Amino acid sequence: MDDGAVTSPAPSPTPVPTSGGRWLVGVAIILLAVNLRVAVGSIGVVLGSVRDDLSMSATVAGVLTTLPVVCFAVFGVGTAGLVRRAGLHRAAATVLVLAATGIVTRSLVDDRIVFLLCSVVALAGAAVGNVILPPLVKAHFPDRIALVSSLYGAALMAGAATASVTTVPLSDALGGWREGLAAWAVLACVALVPWVLMLRRDVHHSPVATERLPLRALVRSRLVWAMVLLFAAQSAGAYAQFGWFAEILTDAGVSDGSAGALLAVISAVGIPLTLSLPSLMRLTGDTPYLPWAFAVLTVAGWLGVLIAPATTPWVWAVLLGLGGGAFTWTLTMIARRTRTTAGTGALSVVTQGAGYLIAGAGPFGVGALHDLTGSWTAPLICLMALGGVIAVCGTIVARPVMLEDTVGLDHRY
């Protein structure tokens, strides 16, 4: 980043000049989002077979499960430079090329370390995709931010859920886990087509001097830190949930099959909630009612798991799924709390880069606390505490204050 500034391209005057072009970019954004969690969702369900074939130790498998958060943080931070030089559309195409390449190559290798490296390639693409989604929406749908953000948020969840549910049947039908994993590259190739068609209408111009957002000013903004901590809290809880929720239930006596199904319920509940967010945001306006609700639902879900994990586990799964609406709300607010595509890109880079880095402590910390204490009580209390962070930081983010107004003007708070 030049001169210590985080920048993203400002939109061209009319990136997509026709309604037909708008439909094309809308479909392209949704297809891009569907692909961003496929590399994560497909591996867990065949991890046992992968470990057996590649002689992968539990330690190496543990590294594999923590790679998504690490890659999302590390590669997400470098996205601004890529977008500034290549453009948003070329960056999106690059995401899908990396995803397809990583997915295919890891299905072909026989060495566990090379398998990890190929996974990094796919996850690097997903990391860039995470960051460019908000500025893509800002550039092409400035009048439909909540709607399009909710659609791509639902697409993210649907992609992860579909990969988790169908990879095993695909593997059985196609001949093994390698074929089952490689099949997801086809989806990336399909999603690549509309982005290739839009390369000549890329959004790639560098922001003018007045739109540049110095990194040193961003880190002094209260809004930026509220966004980072909000994103970190909900992501830490989500990844701890994906990694440990089923095991917590099975330790309490719930069957493996039921625990897996309940984990799927969490994702399923999140999809309709995400699609309803535009209406909910119109109703609540610039109030903190939504983040408060997400916080209360999250705390209630984990409290239920702590007190009565095997009594009504489906209730706790539904509550946690509804609390997960904080994810899409946070992504939507990245675009709503900025005036320019440059501001959206900068806030997206900092929020997701630093947020995912902090969130990595979530799944790791839950496991470490469980090993240290011999029970799930301390980890669950910490997960409930994340609800408090969501409520407090969400209150700050809900205020109608724009990033561009806070850079170097923090006294206005």
Side-chain angles (χ1 to χ4, degrees):
M1 292 173 284
D2 299 335
D3 304 322
V6 177
T7 61
S8 183
S12 52
T14 312
V16 182
T18 66
S19 59
R22 254 191 152 201
W23 274 105
L24 178 63
V25 75
V27 170
I29 288 172
I30 301 307
L31 287 175
L32 174 65
V34 169
N35 279 273
L36 297 186
R37 294 296 180 272
V38 166
V40 179
S42 61
I43 190 63
V45 292
V46 294
L47 185 57
S49 299
V50 173
R51 287 184 60 188
D52 290 341
D53 281 5
L54 301 184
S55 300
M56 188 180 290
S57 67
T59 300
V60 176
V63 171
L64 180 61
T65 59
T66 58
L67 272 181
V69 179
V70 174
C71 289
F72 291 167
V74 173
F75 292 103
V77 170
T79 299
L82 169 65
V83 174
R84 187 171 65 250
R85 292 173 177 82
L88 280 169
H89 295 179
R90 286 181 176 81
T94 301
V95 164
L96 294 165
V97 170
L98 288 173
T101 301
I103 288 170
V104 169
T105 54
R106 75 176 180 179
S107 70
L108 300 175
V109 302
D110 294 314
D111 183 86
R112 56 188 179 274
I113 303 302
V114 178
F115 184 92
L116 289 178
L117 293 175
C118 293
S119 296
V120 168
V121 173
L123 292 170
V128 176
N130 290 338
V131 174
I132 66 173
L133 279 172
L136 275 169
V137 174
K138 186 74 170 182
H140 293 291
F141 299 93
D143 55 335
R144 296 288 187 273
I145 288 174
L147 173 61
V148 181
S149 296
S150 70
L151 289 173
Y152 81 62
L156 281 166
M157 298 176 189
T162 302
S164 296
V165 170
T166 61
T167 297
V168 171
L170 278 173
S171 299
D172 293 340
L174 297 176
W177 66 265
R178 294 179 183 275
E179 292 81 2
L181 291 182
W184 292 106
V186 175
L187 181 61
C189 293
V190 171
L192 179 62
V193 174
W195 292 109
V196 171
L197 295 176
M198 294 187 296
L199 289 182
R200 296 182 65 181
R201 291 179 178 174
D202 210 343
V203 182
H204 57 79
H205 300 298
S206 296
V208 297
T210 56
E211 292 179 339
R212 292 174 63 85
L213 301 174
L215 181 59
R216 61 183 177 275
L218 286 173
V219 299
R220 292 197 300 267
S221 169
R222 186 183 180 191
L223 174 63
V224 169
W225 282 108
M227 288 293 304
V228 168
L229 294 177
L230 173 62
F231 190 86
Q234 61 82 24
S235 294
Y239 280 92
Q241 178 179 284
F242 295 146
W244 298 107
F245 179 76
E247 185 168 338
I248 293 171
L249 294 186
T250 55
D251 282 356
V254 178
S255 69
D256 289 344
S258 295
L262 289 166
L263 187 58
V265 166
I266 294 176
S267 297
V269 168
I271 293 174
L273 173 65
T274 294
L275 292 174
S276 69
L277 267 181
S279 297
L280 293 173
M281 293 178 76
R282 280 195 300 271
L283 287 173
T284 57
D286 294 320
T287 67
Y289 296 145
L290 281 177
W292 289 354
F294 297 140
V296 170
L297 289 164
T298 298
V299 171
W302 287 123
L303 182 61
V305 173
L306 174 63
I307 296 175
T311 305
T312 53
W314 64 271
V315 174
W316 318 140
V318 169
L319 290 174
L320 289 171
L322 293 173
F327 172 71
T328 306
W329 184 82
T330 303
L331 291 179
T332 302
M333 297 309 289
I334 291 175
R336 291 192 67 172
R337 289 295 169 257
T338 52
R339 287 198 172 92
T340 64
T341 307
T344 306
L347 187 57
S348 184
V349 168
V350 175
T351 296
Q352 298 196 58
Y356 274 123
L357 188 62
I358 298 170
F364 175 81
V366 167
L369 277 175
H370 176 62
D371 289 343
L372 184 64
T373 63
S375 78
W376 293 109
T377 301
L380 288 171
I381 290 173
C382 289
L383 289 171
M384 282 187 276
L386 293 177
V389 178
I390 292 172
V392 172
C393 294
T395 300
I396 297 172
V397 172
R399 296 171 182 168
V401 177
M402 298 297 175
L403 172 67
E404 289 84 355
D405 295 336
T406 72
V407 176
L409 297 172
D410 295 296
H411 63 276
R412 293 180 60 167
Y413 284 100

